[in-house]
Amino acid sequence: MNVVIQTEAPPIRQDESGALRVGDSRVLLEMVIQEFREGATPEMIVQQYDTLALPDVYAVIGYYLRHREEIQAYLDQREHCGREVQRRVEESQRDLGDIRRRLLAARPA
């Protein structure tokens, strides 16, 4: 008797912005990995994000455990990009202190 075992790609897809999503959901890979690292079981993760399928979460965690370096590189890149976006937003915002002082000064006593 021959047993045929098919391999499957992990249920991870890249969206139009380059972010990795789990299964057919909009849940980011980094959210699932973060929950897992904080001690959540796959069942708990599915309860937290009800658009996830339990087999997908198990598959993603298994993939993460086998490919930690690659996943960590992706997570590091995402964190760097997030910090860069935050820096640009903060630089582009005007100093609102002057406006606040003028509004407070104009307010009746």
Side-chain angles (χ1 to χ4, degrees):
M1 177 163 133
N2 287 341
V3 177
V4 177
I5 298 176
Q6 297 179 359
T7 59
E8 293 182 7
I12 299 171
R13 62 183 171 76
Q14 191 170 30
D15 69 11
E16 61 282 349
S17 72
L20 297 181
R21 308 276 179 178
V22 177
D24 293 328
S25 76
R26 299 274 307 146
V27 178
L28 294 167
L29 173 64
E30 51 261 42
M31 301 306 295
V32 172
I33 299 304
Q34 178 182 346
E35 292 285 335
F36 176 71
R37 285 179 171 173
E38 291 175 0
T41 64
E43 289 80 5
M44 293 165 68
I45 296 169
V46 169
Q47 287 177 347
Q48 180 90 8
Y49 303 99
D50 61 359
T51 58
L52 289 173
L54 186 58
D56 290 347
V57 174
Y58 270 102
V60 165
I61 290 171
Y63 185 83
Y64 162 70
L65 292 172
R66 288 184 195 94
H67 300 91
R68 286 181 194 243
E69 288 181 18
E70 295 92 336
I71 297 295
Q72 189 58 52
Y74 166 77
L75 297 176
D76 292 345
Q77 175 193 19
R78 293 280 294 172
E79 187 174 328
H80 174 74
C81 289
R83 283 193 308 267
E84 185 62 26
V85 167
Q86 182 178 2
R87 183 190 62 76
R88 279 188 267 140
V89 167
E90 289 171 355
E91 284 179 358
S92 70
Q93 291 179 341
R94 299 182 317 172
D95 178 19
L96 300 179
D98 184 50
I99 294 171
R100 178 175 165 70
R101 282 189 293 279
R102 285 188 287 150
L103 288 172
L104 288 173
R107 188 170 71 174

